[in-house]
Amino acid sequence: MKADFTLLGHAGFLIETDHEILLIDPWLSENGAFFGSWHQWPPNSHLLGMVQQRCADRVLNIFLSHAHQDHFDASTLRALSNHPRCTVFIPNYKDKYLLDTLRGMQLQTVELSEGDQAGIGIRLRVFIDDGGINQDAALFVSTPDFTFFNQNDCKMFDRLAMLKQELGDIDYYSVQFSGANWHPACFEMPAEQRQTLSRKKALSKFHNVLGGVRTLAPRFLVPAAGPCFFPFLDPALSLGSGTIFVHQDQLDHYLTQKGIGNILYPRPGERIDESANRIPIAAPTPAELERYRAAHQDVWEHTADTFSATRFAHVLQRRLDIMADMAVPPDTPSIAFNWGPGDADWLQVDLVGKVLVASPQPRPPCIVLTASTTYFSLMCTEARWQDLALSLRARLQRLPDVYNTVANIFLFADEANLASSLEHNFNLSQERIVIEHLGRKYEINRYCPHQGGDLAYATIDENLHVVCPRHSWRFDLQCGGMCKSSGMGIAAVKLGGTSEDGLAGGAEPPE
């Protein structure tokens, strides 16, 4: 019973035996994702017919890691929904958006809890990260011929050492290497600052990939969850330079310099094995962008605009009502929404006072979000706000330019999980640990105030910054463990005494 392994593109994979097929995060739509902003590079929609044909006479299992549209593509699932022996497996998240949506599509859906296994000849086991608005999962697949650890977008870098001990040898390892956020692309700032931030974020992502390869020691790395491109947005976002949306050639350059050479760069539809392509996929050229635009519809241009300021105010008030009994930190910024040039085209949310304010003059601290009425009309529908954010069709300004977790949760969470997401953040464990670096000891909060990354597995850079293993937030040990970009900290205290070994908690000397 030989098992074959094929890349479908982006974060999509097909694993098959004579009797069974496993699809992982198949995104084969011609219309992109996130309201038509993201598209697969290279394009892969032509593979849908091949996938349907290969699935026809076999048991079909589909695994969806999480609900983002570049992993949970409803159009691809609808095309496969008539398969008589199809089961969709998803992580058992506390929030049931993904489960409810799939069952609404009449798809047989099974939730897998942490460590659960499924499949016959192709065995799958799920590892879940479910905290606040952060819901994602990694997947371990074992077949008669190979093993595959698919971390995709899941930021569980702080768990990899333990998983390596548990899972043993890994043949193929896939992990996200390109950015997937509206910051800094959608934020008002000088171009030079945006490019500097983008470079730092890209390097942090590359560093995490490097750490994953060194920890898991796979036979081959198969970079995924990118590249994508944005044919109907600013062309600069697609070209890979000066943005977080980097392409494989940039990753290859970084990893090669670090001595990593066991990297495969298969094209969509190509078999994954030791003979797969070793040449990274470069960014699209301006001519390729133009040809793609000419052959595809701009989904956003055909999205209905039914905006009503009254209805929008009602939606915002519902969210404030959910927070009514929560004590919000007094320094939490307000959020000002703006959809036009007039004084009446503004609505502000005072998150501390839990009130709406109709004023065109936002006062710091605040976040100003400016977008079209189409954008705000979608905020009043069943559309997920985090999917809208990833459409990259809003402009934001932070006054002052400091990240705030409460405001971020308000802008990203669904109504159904807004309360639990805030409570998760407010109730992060205050456990303290001692870390050591170059003979010096520090006591710090164990969990990152951003999204709870375990700082026992953090690194410490040459500037004495504790670097979170999940999103690379940096906490300055020389300034009480403060993160300068967010104003949040880990309450670092330098302790007396020294240590001969000098390193603990996953810390390593800078390269």
Side-chain angles (χ1 to χ4, degrees):
M1 184 174 60
K2 190 174 184 340
D4 280 334
F5 192 15
T6 302
L7 177 74
L8 296 179
H10 196 65
F13 297 92
L14 183 154
I15 300 173
E16 61 186 317
T17 65
D18 291 340
H19 307 289
E20 185 181 11
I21 281 189
L22 172 65
L23 298 180
I24 302 171
D25 289 346
W27 176 30
L28 302 170
S29 168
E30 273 199 328
N31 295 319
F34 304 115
F35 307 95
S37 290
W38 295 42
H39 288 251
Q40 309 92 312
W41 181 254
N44 67 349
S45 61
H46 63 283
L47 296 177
L48 180 58
M50 175 272 288
V51 170
Q52 290 173 307
Q53 183 178 10
R54 283 161 78 167
C55 294
D57 298 321
R58 289 179 265 191
V59 172
L60 172 59
N61 294 326
I62 302 173
F63 178 79
L64 302 178
S65 60
H66 61 294
H68 281 167
Q69 293 177 4
D70 58 325
H71 298 258
F72 166 40
D73 177 33
S75 67
T76 299
L77 295 174
R78 280 192 291 268
L80 298 167
S81 62
N82 291 328
H83 191 288
R85 295 184 290 169
C86 175
T87 302
V88 180
F89 292 96
I90 63 172
N92 185 9
Y93 293 128
K94 291 188 283 287
D95 180 78
K96 298 304 178 185
Y97 168 81
L98 189 54
L99 176 67
D100 292 343
T101 305
L102 289 166
R103 287 184 172 170
M105 297 171 66
Q106 306 301 310
L107 287 161
Q108 179 177 318
T109 305
V110 175
E111 292 183 300
L112 297 176
S113 297
E114 174 80 18
D116 281 356
Q117 299 191 45
I120 305 169
I122 303 171
R123 300 289 289 168
L124 54 150
R125 183 178 176 189
V126 66
F127 301 93
I128 300 173
D129 182 14
D130 189 7
I133 58 173
N134 189 46
Q135 294 153 0
D136 209 336
L139 183 71
F140 181 70
V141 180
S142 57
T143 78
D145 297 293
F146 61 85
T147 58
F148 173 42
F149 185 71
N150 181 21
Q151 189 179 342
N152 65 81
D153 297 5
C154 191
K155 307 299 189 296
M156 54 173 62
F157 294 99
D158 49 355
R159 295 179 59 185
L160 293 186
M162 291 183 290
L163 289 177
K164 173 61 176 176
Q165 292 180 352
E166 186 175 347
L167 299 176
D169 292 340
I170 294 170
D171 291 307
Y172 301 100
Y173 170 48
S174 187
V175 63
Q176 180 193 57
F177 73 92
S178 189
N181 202 305
W182 64 355
H183 184 269
C186 295
F187 285 69
E188 297 292 345
M189 62 183 69
E192 184 176 349
Q193 180 186 357
R194 182 178 295 107
Q195 291 176 2
T196 299
L197 282 172
S198 296
R199 282 194 296 269
K200 288 181 178 179
K201 284 176 171 266
L203 285 173
S204 293
K205 185 79 73 174
F206 291 171
H207 177 77
N208 282 343
V209 174
L210 175 66
V213 172
R214 288 177 171 173
T215 301
L216 297 175
R219 284 180 61 221
F220 296 105
L221 169 67
V222 185
C228 63
F229 74 130
F230 312 92
F232 300 103
L233 299 177
D234 180 356
L237 291 173
S238 297
L239 302 179
S241 178
T243 83
I244 64 170
F245 303 104
V246 293
H247 288 261
Q248 288 181 354
D249 48 355
Q250 293 160 277
L251 173 71
D252 187 76
H253 178 74
Y254 175 88
L255 292 178
T256 300
Q257 287 187 323
K258 302 296 184 181
I260 305 298
N262 57 329
I263 315 170
L264 304 178
Y265 297 106
R267 274 49 176 173
E270 183 179 345
R271 184 176 179 180
I272 300 173
D273 59 21
E274 60 273 6
S275 65
N277 209 311
R278 301 295 183 103
I279 300 173
I281 299 169
T285 65
E288 287 171 324
L289 276 173
E290 182 57 39
R291 284 197 297 270
Y292 190 91
R293 276 195 299 268
H296 291 78
Q297 175 179 279
D298 183 351
V299 172
W300 187 264
E301 289 297 319
H302 295 83
T303 300
D305 182 355
T306 60
F307 178 69
S308 159
T310 301
R311 186 183 179 196
F312 185 46
H314 179 66
V315 169
L316 294 174
Q317 187 60 57
R318 283 205 314 261
R319 289 182 166 243
L320 289 177
D321 291 344
I322 292 170
M323 302 169 57
D325 296 327
M326 294 183 177
V328 175
D331 60 347
T332 301
S334 61
I335 304 174
F337 299 98
N338 171 231
W339 54 87
D343 288 354
D345 298 330
W346 290 80
L347 196 55
Q348 296 186 44
V349 177
D350 179 349
L351 293 172
V352 178
K354 318 288 192 340
V355 295
L356 296 179
V357 180
S359 170
Q361 297 178 342
R363 296 180 180 179
C366 70
I367 299 169
V368 180
L369 190 157
T370 302
S372 67
T373 51
T374 299
Y375 190 99
F376 290 112
S377 69
L378 286 169
M379 291 181 76
C380 300
T381 68
E382 296 299 314
R384 307 188 83 198
W385 284 19
Q386 56 189 286
D387 288 340
L388 266 172
L390 289 170
S391 75
L392 309 181
R393 292 183 179 272
R395 303 299 301 174
L396 294 97
Q397 185 177 23
R398 297 192 296 212
L399 303 169
D401 187 12
V402 176
Y403 175 89
N404 183 271
T405 298
V406 174
N408 192 63
I409 291 172
F410 187 88
L411 287 171
F412 270 75
D414 299 334
E415 276 189 32
N417 63 24
L418 176 58
S420 60
S421 298
L422 289 168
E423 288 165 358
H424 172 81
N425 179 261
F426 293 153
N427 297 325
L428 280 176
S429 170
Q430 296 303 305
E431 179 183 349
R432 303 278 286 172
I433 58 172
V434 174
I435 60 173
E436 302 173 5
H437 182 63
L438 300 180
R440 290 167 288 188
K441 295 184 178 181
Y442 300 85
E443 184 180 82
I444 64 171
N445 291 339
R446 177 167 182 169
Y447 296 102
C448 176
H450 176 217
Q451 290 188 12
D454 190 345
L455 299 181
Y457 300 94
T459 58
I460 301 175
D461 69 16
E462 66 275 14
N463 297 314
L464 277 183
H465 293 152
V466 175
V467 183
C468 177
R470 294 205 169 193
H471 297 90
S472 299
W473 276 36
R474 285 170 162 76
F475 302 94
D476 191 345
L477 290 174
Q478 300 176 94
C479 296
M482 292 300 296
C483 174
K484 295 177 182 177
S485 64
S486 71
M488 304 167 75
I490 55 174
V493 177
K494 186 176 181 180
L495 304 177
T498 61
S499 169
E500 292 299 319
D501 56 21
L503 297 174
E508 62 179 29
E511 295 183 336

